[in-house]
């Protein structure tokens, strides 16, 4: 048997949900392990120090998956180290690829975010205004450090070269399986690509009116949020007035959210060829609003448009942060 | 009770205070509380600041309007000139950002800031548009049946229509004052020089003879075409010209008739039954006779049970 | 790598007098992919074109950028040059450094030169990304549509019909004839309007190639040049026109009185009426908005039998009709019927209206003795409300003094800034006709200035002075109403330098000509735009006066701008000739700058489908996969709305592609 | 009258001055005479009204007409503005010319009294005898306007003194 | 040297572009700040283009289309309005001065208006100063 393909997993600024999708492979993972071995999986699975990765030989890992966005100098450092150690580097999951929900933090400055997190939440009691400091001298001799918080969220590809991208929050396990399969069978697309079927959620959505006999796409004559009532099953959410990003989002998830009556929020990332998810969403959604009154409804229901349209992708936009 | 800032100007408080008194009587009775505008100055008159410097004009008008703003009321004025000056000033301030900026720089010198919350109304606009003919009709004690009125709306309440809050249907053939008189049951026929200028104001101070000439044309036209029992105006300047210049013309032998002149609220106050000693006491052209006639027993309106 | 040739035009001194042309040329030379950069006095001239031809022949350039005027006029000229040399004609891009640069920045030579360089950068960036495109052709339906049956529409229709083309002539009123049918006489020959128009109307009504559709309106227009699908609504006349003989008995029997449009509201007509005596077709209609349903004879109601007489109870109109053309018990659709016709080209000749006097508050509009000139025209016409007797409306007295006011609503920023072109002449005509008939009539003509540019026009004007008609120079500022229904004109005689007043029995306002009220919906149906004066916009004010921005749609008559009858007829014939060209060519070119879907990229979300204004997009199932979008080439007009909306970036608009626009943005910024 | 050599007239400068003083419509006037036909100044027989004034200004007349009092007879009735077909706002041009005259103190002496009164009391028109009249009809002798209000008088003086009018030395 | 703003204008060929040509015909004067990119319809302008222009340092961006009811393609300008109004709000949320972005309806007959809009827009941007910040941040 040929050498197994060596995989590595590294979590940066994220929740490890993407790695849960690997676990969700269940039996498939067992099958896969015939062809691959995982040589690094931190910090989610193994407790390691910086040294453990730094001391590996360069290119020791065949394919590395990095999930999470980049907010701390530690993230930057580890991403660079991992790039050296890996032959192929995959930005795994929407945080790593596009910034993710945490990327919306770039619409605020550090001061705002710290005040909110360490002082102003209802359950926080911080009368002395204590905030995390990058350095702290304890007992006059122990210089303790914390990773330095950066001014904005960055994407992996803004730090190192990225070979492939996988969207999703998290990526659907079937998507992960397909990616692993491509790796194992050597059927990866050209470098720099997204590993995706390249079609929108609508393509695989049973609700899409285009996919139904005798039904048609139509303009939106109202805007609803899910709090306004439970959407009808089986009918396209857009047609009902629930803004759904299915048309502009990669559909490798198999339209999972739609299956549980929830509108797509775009975690799959934009269809290849589209540079800026939010700008395209404005363009596409803005086109099918019947008239100005519907646009106004949308603006009323979603007072902050940027956080709505860029929910998973703000740092990847042409304007990547608050100016 | 609806509130309205009463802007007096100069002519009314100093030359015809009986008009001021007629406001005090008439408006509360019609459900409008008059709010004093303490410290208000001249509007400023066309011949003063507006003839010298636009920003100074806007500053003085803006200050007057600001006094009303601070009391949270609109402005009502009984003088057409004041109405014209302040309406045009307000229009300029509202539509020209640079002028507004300059205005507030000027007002900052006296610790004021123009907000733009108060509108400028004429007495006749408040009567016609905000109070309404119906309410006036209900307040009357005497009728003017079979009395003929020549109305004189005056110029500044007609043009430019662009700057006004309340507009005539056709400013060249105005009907607001006509309707206000008709509700008193008087006869208000049309005469051809209805919208002609009376010659008061700047023209009279520049050249009295020419001013009187223009006035005479109009007065004679009224007399010949409709021969009215009285002349009714809602402009204090027109009032002074019709009342005063008529006397001059008669004394110089240019006319041989006299027509009593009323400011509309004076006439309205009389019809409501107020004492002429308060509301119609000062005039150069006699009007005792017609006042007696108006407040006569025969003209009492019978209240329906 | 592209070989871009840049050619900078001086346009005489139009560009060269402001922009440093040599500096721009030099700058272009430094741009990547630019192989040649040249300048010439007039690039559009033969020698200018030859420079480009030679460079193409020498293999020096394969993409051409001309920095000159606007592509809106000159792009076709240069494309032909490329085509002539065997280069794809879409390998051409224009840099507009005249209309949008030198002409507007004459005060800033450096700024204009710097801007010209950026504009060239942008054009070169686009040129590098140009793709070859091929023209496509479709067949032309052999029929024309003329909208409007006034003198313009009639002549356009006749001209096309005489060339052998099938013509549908659509008129909203019951008869063709338009405003000209309301006129008494016409200047400068004073021939009777009816006498010269009626025979032409009859020609149009009887021509074998003309299908007359009066009392009809355009419901919708779809399609494109050569292949318009037009729906025409034949309004409900409530009279069976196949039986109606035009005898007018129904009109005589009808008791209703409602303002008569034909007489400009000066008298009344009945609800059942014939448009006017010389109507073509001479058919009656019943105007249901004013009909009072005599005898409870609502349309479609059952006929009741009188108990007294035992006869059916009929409305007077039904009873009067000797031809049995009115049957009120018959339920007919109040909306009329819709005709579907296929059309190759369209002539729009919807005419004009004159402004109503109510618009002019200072001119005593409430006086019955203030008339518009069109009302006077009816008042002095033999077919008018007084049978041609000149009597003033308030009391039927014969006027002794009449005043004409010019430029009412014309040359006035509060109404229309343009000159209505015909008022001076028709006022003089009306004055002359009156003076000829009533020598003792005092006539005052108040003018800003008398405009008489036309054959025999000025002689017509001066002869009016000889007749004793008095001309006063000075715009009238107001009219007072005097006792006895008289009117006092307030004027200022500019030549006398004196205020004057004129007491008149009758005042005539020469009110402005403007587009008909309800024309905007028609404009939208036809995708036509209006110009700053509110008339239909021609494609070019000088060189394309009958063409519009919509290929295959042409303009004739006053809907394009005020004009007199000779000019209207000339333009009508011109529009007919232009509209006949595609019919004669039998096929037309389809512009390839339209959108196309990359089926491989399409996700089938369907967002684009409801957006297309022409319904060109359909979702089509393709072997096994979900449906994908498809654009019908002949229906797409290339707006790019779908391209912008497509969330899968699957739609390309040829000629305005993503790569081209992005390259331009980059060229203009970085 | 001898012919005027137009090429020697200062047209641009005069027109610019009119515009600077608030008469931007001066270049729009086409001498249609509508304003003159209804102007009270014209009808009362003053020599220099509306259209004629505008023509003079358009052709660069200034010194020749600076002392003419006609413009001060303008009633500001604005009928001209309402009907001007060019939307030139004739009233504003007349007043612009007035301001040019005022800037050179080319105003009648009778205009000074109201100005000084405005500065002193806040009212352009005021007479002592009014107190008696007011009491006669049952009003307090002075109204609540600036006439009895020192702070208000200070305010109006500040506004007048700090503008161009303050520089004319009238007050 | 005085700051001359760089304004990128996306102009529909039937209205705003034609209006700009008419401004030339009428010899209306305006500052040489604006350079137009001709598009068939304002509905062809992607919000992305506006962002791109700003990111690459444009001081102002104008999207010009036909007045409502005048669109050569019936209703492309309504789409433009929906898209661009939302974009403008989003720009503001990004802390970007929305005055740098304008959506204007200028018809082919409004040459004078085109010149006025550009003059006024240029003045406004001159007051705001160059769009340096964004260049630093993004590029």
């Amino acid at each position: 048997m040929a050498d197994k393909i060596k995989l590595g997993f590294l979590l940066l600024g994220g929740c490890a949900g993407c790695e849960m999708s690997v676990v969700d492979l269940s039996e498939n993972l067992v099958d896969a392990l015939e062809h691959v071995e995982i040589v690094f999986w931190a910090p989610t699975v193994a407790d390691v120090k910086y040294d453990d990765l730094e001391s590996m030989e360069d290119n020791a890992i065949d394919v590395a998956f990095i999930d999470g966005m980049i907010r701390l100098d530690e993230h930057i450092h580890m991403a660079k180290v991992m790039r050296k150690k890996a032959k192929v580097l995959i930005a795994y999951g929407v945080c790593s690829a596009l910034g993710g929900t945490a990327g919306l933090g770039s619409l605020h400055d550090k001061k705002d975010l710290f005040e909110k997190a360490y002082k102003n939440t209802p359950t926080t009691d911080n009368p002395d205004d204590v905030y995390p400091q990058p350095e702290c001298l304890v007992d006059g001799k122990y210089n303790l450090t914390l990773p330095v918080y950066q001014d904005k969220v960055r994407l992996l590809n803004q730090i190192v070269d990225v070979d492939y991208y996988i969207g999703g929050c998290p990526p659907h396990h079937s998507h992960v399986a397909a990616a692993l399969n491509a790796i194992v069978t050597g059927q990866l697309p050209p470098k720099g690509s997204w590993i995706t079927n390249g079609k929108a959620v609508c393509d695989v959505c049973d609700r899409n009116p285009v996919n139904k006999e005798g039904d048609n796409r139509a303009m939106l004559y109202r805007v609803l949020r899910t709090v306004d009532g439970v959407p009808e099953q089986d009918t396209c959410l857009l047609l009902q007035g629930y803004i759904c990003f299915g048309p502009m989002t990669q559909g490798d998830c198999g339209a999972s959210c739609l299956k549980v009556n929830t509108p797509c929020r775009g975690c799959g990332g934009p269809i290849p060829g589209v540079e800026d998810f939010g700008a395209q969403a404005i363009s596409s959604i803005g086109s099918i609003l019947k008239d100005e009154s519907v646009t106004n409804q949308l603006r009323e229901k979603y007072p902050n448009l940027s956080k709505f349209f860029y929910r998973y992708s703000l740092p990847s936009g042409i304007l990547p942060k608050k100016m | 009770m609806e509130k309205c800032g009463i802007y007096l100007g100069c002519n009314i408080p100093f030359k015809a205070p009986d008009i001021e008194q007629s406001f005090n009587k008439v408006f509360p009775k019609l459900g409008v509380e008059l709010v004093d505008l303490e410290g208000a100055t001249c509007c400023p008159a066309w011949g003063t600041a507006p003839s010298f410097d636009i920003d100074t004009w806007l500053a003085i008008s803006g200050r007057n309007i600001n006094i009303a703003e601070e009391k949270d009321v609109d402005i009502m004025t009984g003088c057409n000139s004041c109405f014209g000056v302040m309406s045009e000033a307000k229009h300029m301030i509202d539509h020209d950002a640079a002028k507004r900026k300059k205005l507030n720089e000027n007002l900052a010198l006296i610790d004021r800031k123009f907000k733009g919350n108060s509108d400028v109304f004429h007495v006749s606009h408040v009567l016609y548009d905000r109070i309404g003919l119906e309410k006036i009709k209900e307040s009357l004690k005497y009728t003017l049946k079979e009395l003929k009125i020549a109305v004189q709306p005056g110029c500044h309440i007609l043009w430019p229509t662009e700057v006004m809050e309340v507009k005539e249907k056709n400013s060249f053939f105005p009907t607001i004052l006509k309707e206000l008189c008709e509700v008193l049951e008087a006869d208000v026929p049309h005469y051809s020089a209805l919208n002609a200028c009376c010659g008061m104001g700047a023209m009279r101070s520049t050249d009295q003879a020419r001013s009187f000439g223009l006035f005479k044309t109009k007065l004679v036209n009224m007399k010949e075409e409709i021969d009215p029992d009285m002349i009714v105006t809602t402009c204090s300047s027109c009032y002074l010209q019709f009342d005063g210049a008529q006397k001059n013309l008669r004394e110089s032998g240019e006319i041989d008739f006299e027509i009593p002149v009323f400011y509309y609220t004076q006439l309205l106050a009389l019809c409501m039954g107020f004492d002429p000693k308060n509301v119609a006491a000062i005039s150069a052209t006699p009007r005792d006779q017609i006042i007696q006639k108006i407040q006569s027993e025969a003209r009492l309106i019978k209240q329906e049970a | 790598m592209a070989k871009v040739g840049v050619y900078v035009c001086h346009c005489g001194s139009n560009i060269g007098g402001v922009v440093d042309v040599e500096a721009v040329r030099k700058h272009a030379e430094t741009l990547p992919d630019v192989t040649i950069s040249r300048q010439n006095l007039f690039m559009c001239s033969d020698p200018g074109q030859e420079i480009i031809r030679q460079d193409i022949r020498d293999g020096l350039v394969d993409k051409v950028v001309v920095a000159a005027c606007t592509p809106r006029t000159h792009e076709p000229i240069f494309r032909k040059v490329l085509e002539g040399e065997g280069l794809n004609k879409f390998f051409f891009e224009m840099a507009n450094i005249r209309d949008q640069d030198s002409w507007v920045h004459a005060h800033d030579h450096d700024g204009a030169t710097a801007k010209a360089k950026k504009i060239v950068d942008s054009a070169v960036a686009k040129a590098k990304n140009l793709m070859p495109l091929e023209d496509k052709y479709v067949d032309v339906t052999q029929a024309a549509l003329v909208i409007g049956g006034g003198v313009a529409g009639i002549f356009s229709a006749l001209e096309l019909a005489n060339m052998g083309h099938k013509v549908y002539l659509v008129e909203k009123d019951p008869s063709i004839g338009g405003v000209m049918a309301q006129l008494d006489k016409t200047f400068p020959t004073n021939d009777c309007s009816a006498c010269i128009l009626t025979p032409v109307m009859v020609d149009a009504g009887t021509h074998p190639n003309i299908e007359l559709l009066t009392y009809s309106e355009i419901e919708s227009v779809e399609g494109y040049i050569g292949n318009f699908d037009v729906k025409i609504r034949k309004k409900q006349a409530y009279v069976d026109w196949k039986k109606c003989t035009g005898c007018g008995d129904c009109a005589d029997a009808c008791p209703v009185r409602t303002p008569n449009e034909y007489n400009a509201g000066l008298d009344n007509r009945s609800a059942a009426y014939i448009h006017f005596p010389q109507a073509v077709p001479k058919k009656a209609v019943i105007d249901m908005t004013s009909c009072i349903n005599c005898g409870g004879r609502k349309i479609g109601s059952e006929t009741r039998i009188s108990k007294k007489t035992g006869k059916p109870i009929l409305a007077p109109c039904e009873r009067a009709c000797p031809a049995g053309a009115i049957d009120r018990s018959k339920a007919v659709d109040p909306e009329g019927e819709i005709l579907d016709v296929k059309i190759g080209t369209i002539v729009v000749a919807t005419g004009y209206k004159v402004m109503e006097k109510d618009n002019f508050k200072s001119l005593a509009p409430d006086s019955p003795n203030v008339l518009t000139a069109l009302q006077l025209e009816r008042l002095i016409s033999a077919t008018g409300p007084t049978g041609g007797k000149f009597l003033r409306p308030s009391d039927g007295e014969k006027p002794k003094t009449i005043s004409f006011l010019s430029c009412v609503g014309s040359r006035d920023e509060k109404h229309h800034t343009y000159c209505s072109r015909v008022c001076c002449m028709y006022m003089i005509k009306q004055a002359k006709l009156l003076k000829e008939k009533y020598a003792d009539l005092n006539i005052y003509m108040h003018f800003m200035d008398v405009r008489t540019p036309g054959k025999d026009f000025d002689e017509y004007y001066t002869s009016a002075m000889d007749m004793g008609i008095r001309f006063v120079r000075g715009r009238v500022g107001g009219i007072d109403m005097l006792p006895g229904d008289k009117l006092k004109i307030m004027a200022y005689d500019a030549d006398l330098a004196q205020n004057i007043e004129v007491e008149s029995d009758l005042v005539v306002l020469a009110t402005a000509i403007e587009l008909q009220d309800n024309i905007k919906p028609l404009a939208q149906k036809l995708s036509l735009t209006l110009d700053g004066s509110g008339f239909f916009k021609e494609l070019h004010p000088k060189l394309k006066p009958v063409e519009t921005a919509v290929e295959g749609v042409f303009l004739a008559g006053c809907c394009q701008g005020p004009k007199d009858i000779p000019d209207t007829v000339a333009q009508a014939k011109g529009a007919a000739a232009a509209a006949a060209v595609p019919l004669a060519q039998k096929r037309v070119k389809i512009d390839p700058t339209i959108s196309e879907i990359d089926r491989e990229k399409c996700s089938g979300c369907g967002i684009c489908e409801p957006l297309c204004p022409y319904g060109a997009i359909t979702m089509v199932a393709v072997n096994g996969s979900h449906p994908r979008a498809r654009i019908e080439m002949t229906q797409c007009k290339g707006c790019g709305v779908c391209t912008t909306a497509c969330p899968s970036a699957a739609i390309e608009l040829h000629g305005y592609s993503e790569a081209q626009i992005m390259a331009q943005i980059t060229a203009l910024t970085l | 009258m001898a012919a005027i050599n137009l090429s020697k007239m200062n047209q641009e400068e005069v027109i610019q001055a009119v515009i600077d003083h608030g008469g931007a419509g001066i270049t729009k006037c086409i001498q249609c005479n509508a304003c003159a036909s209804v102007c009270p100044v014209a009808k009362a027989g003053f020599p220099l009204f509306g259209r004629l004034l505008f023509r003079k200004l358009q052709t660069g007349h200034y010194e020749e007409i600076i002392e003419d009092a006609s413009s001060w007879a303008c009633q500001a009735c604005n009928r001209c503005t309402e009907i001007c077909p060019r939307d030139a706002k004739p009233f504003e041009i007349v007043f612009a010319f007035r301001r040019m005259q005022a800037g050179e103190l080319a105003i009648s002496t009778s205009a000074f009294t109201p100005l000084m009164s405005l500065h002193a009391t806040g009212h352009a028109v005021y007479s002592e005898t009014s107190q008696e009249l007011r009491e006669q009809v049952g009003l307090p002798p002075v109204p609540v306007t600036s006439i009895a209000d020192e702070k208000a008088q200070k305010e109006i003086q500040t506004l007048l003194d700090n503008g161009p009018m303050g520089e004319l030395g009238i007050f | 040297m005085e700051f001359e703003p760089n304004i990128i204008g996306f102009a529909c060929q039937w209205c705003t572009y034609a209006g700009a040509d008419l401004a030339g015909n009428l010899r209306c004067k305006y500052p040489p700040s604006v350079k137009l990119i001709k598009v068939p319809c304002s509905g062809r302008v992607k919000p992305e283009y506006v962002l791109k222009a700003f990111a690459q340092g444009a001081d102002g961006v104008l999207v010009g289309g036909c007045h409502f009811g005048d669109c050569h393609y019936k209703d492309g300008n309504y789409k433009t309005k929906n898209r661009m109004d939302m974009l403008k709000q989003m720009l503001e949320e990004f802390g970007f001065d929305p005055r740098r972005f304008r959506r204007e309806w200028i018809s082919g007959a409004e040459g004078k208006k085109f010149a006025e809009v550009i003059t006024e827009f240029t003045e406004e941007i001159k007051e705001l100063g160059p769009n340096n910040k964004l260049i630093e941040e993004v590029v």
Side-chain angles (χ1 to χ4, degrees), chain C residues 57 64 73 339 360 403 426 444 493 508 553 610 636 649 652 660:
Chain C
R57 279 199 288 272
V64 176
T73 54
L339 299 180
F360 308 104
S403 296
Y426 72 59
Y444 292 89
D493 186 325
V508 180
V553 178
C636 176
E652 189 74 289
Q660 289 161 1

Side-chain angles (χ1 to χ4, degrees), chain C residues 1-2 4 28-35 124 128:
Chain C
M1 205 184 83
V4 181
E29 221 164 33
T30 66
L31 298 172
D33 295 298
V34 172
T35 48
V124 169
K128 286 196 283 191

Side-chain angles (χ1 to χ4, degrees), chain B residues 5 17 38-40 55 59 62 105 107 129 148 183 198 206 209-210 228 240 249-250 273:
Chain B
E38 286 95 350
D55 290 320
E105 282 168 22
L107 288 186
D129 199 62
K148 203 188 289 170
V183 85
C198 71
T206 305
R210 282 183 167 128
L240 292 172
L249 290 182
R250 211 167 36 251

